[in-house]
């Protein structure tokens, strides 16, 4: 007997008890099977970070200029656990505005910046419009929008020591 059979029975009973549909139970079984696919673990990005030289300056730039929304702001020693999210995905991945206090991290950040390599990339649906709006707000672009394979990309400075790529597919 596979594990899916007892699970299907349990979820069907739960669906009846909770007053939900058996379709819900079937979806849970399907997802459980998918979770076991590929080695038994599915992962998703919950938090990723950008290193910033000043959290308050970064918060202002990432919210007022880029349009993200503050999600979490909790004291964490001398700094804060400070995250922003896309207003389109308030429960989606969080971007941690991480204070850059570790000297090797500063070296890494500077090396990427000096080499013109973006630290991360954000997706946009209309790069031309976003580029124009950000330029009007004084954002410095290292690379204006250009077609690269199936995508159009641009790279800008985030005022916190990073280059950020925007991409439209």
């Amino acid at each position: 007997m596979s594990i899916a059979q007892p699970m299907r029975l349990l979820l069907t009973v739960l669906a009846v008890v909770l007053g939900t549909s058996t379709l819900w139970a079937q979806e849970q079984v399907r997802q459980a099977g998918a979770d076991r696919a590929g080695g038994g673990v599915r992962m998703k990005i919950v938090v990723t970070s950008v290193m910033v030289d000043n959290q308050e300056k970064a918060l202002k730039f990432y919210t007022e200029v880029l349009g993200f929304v503050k999600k979490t702001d909790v004291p964490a020693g001398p700094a804060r656990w400070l995250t922003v999210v896309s207003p389109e995905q308030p429960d989606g991945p969080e971007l941690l505005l991480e204070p850059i206090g570790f000297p090797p991290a500063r070296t890494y950040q500077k090396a990427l910046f000096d080499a013109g390599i973006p630290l991360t990339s954000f997706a946009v649906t209309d790069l031309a419009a976003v580029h124009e709006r950000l330029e009007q707000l004084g954002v410095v672009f290292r690379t204006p929008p250009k077609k690269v394979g199936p995508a159009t990309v641009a790279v800008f400075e985030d005022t916190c020591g990073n280059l950020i790529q925007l991409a439209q597919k």
Side-chain angles (χ1 to χ4, degrees):
M1 176 189 294
S2 78
I3 191 161
Q5 291 169 326
M7 184 179 243
R8 184 174 292 119
L9 177 61
L10 174 63
L11 289 172
T12 302
V13 169
L14 280 172
V16 171
V17 171
L18 296 173
T20 59
S21 73
T22 54
L23 289 175
W24 172 86
Q26 291 169 355
E27 176 61 15
Q28 300 307 305
V29 169
R30 188 196 63 73
Q31 287 180 5
D35 285 345
R36 286 190 295 278
V41 178
R42 282 192 342 186
M43 293 183 214
K44 63 182 180 178
I45 297 170
V46 177
V47 177
T48 189
S49 63
V50 292
M51 302 170 286
V52 300
D53 55 8
N54 179 300
Q55 285 185 303
E56 199 56 45
K57 177 176 72 171
L59 179 62
K60 185 175 175 110
F61 180 81
Y62 278 82
T63 57
E64 295 177 15
V65 176
L66 298 185
F68 290 102
V69 177
K70 181 169 67 170
K71 170 98 181 208
T72 308
D73 189 352
V74 178
R80 299 149 49 190
W81 181 266
L82 181 60
T83 67
V84 295
V85 294
S86 166
E88 295 175 13
Q89 292 181 299
D91 295 320
E94 296 178 47
L95 181 66
L96 175 63
L97 304 177
E98 187 167 358
I100 188 164
F102 187 54
R106 285 185 184 278
T107 302
Y108 174 70
Q109 182 191 45
K110 184 175 180 343
L112 287 178
F113 190 86
D114 291 348
I117 299 171
L119 178 66
T120 193
S121 181
F122 301 142
V124 297
T125 55
D126 186 347
L127 182 55
V130 171
H131 175 259
E132 183 179 328
R133 183 181 71 79
L134 293 179
E135 270 198 328
Q136 288 175 358
L137 292 171
V139 174
V140 175
F141 276 83
R142 286 276 190 97
T143 306
K146 68 177 181 178
K147 189 86 170 147
V148 179
T152 302
V153 300
V155 177
F156 67 88
E157 298 178 13
D158 76 349
T159 73
C160 302
N162 304 296
L163 296 177
I164 307 293
Q165 176 177 274
L166 298 175
Q168 175 187 333
K169 289 189 179 180

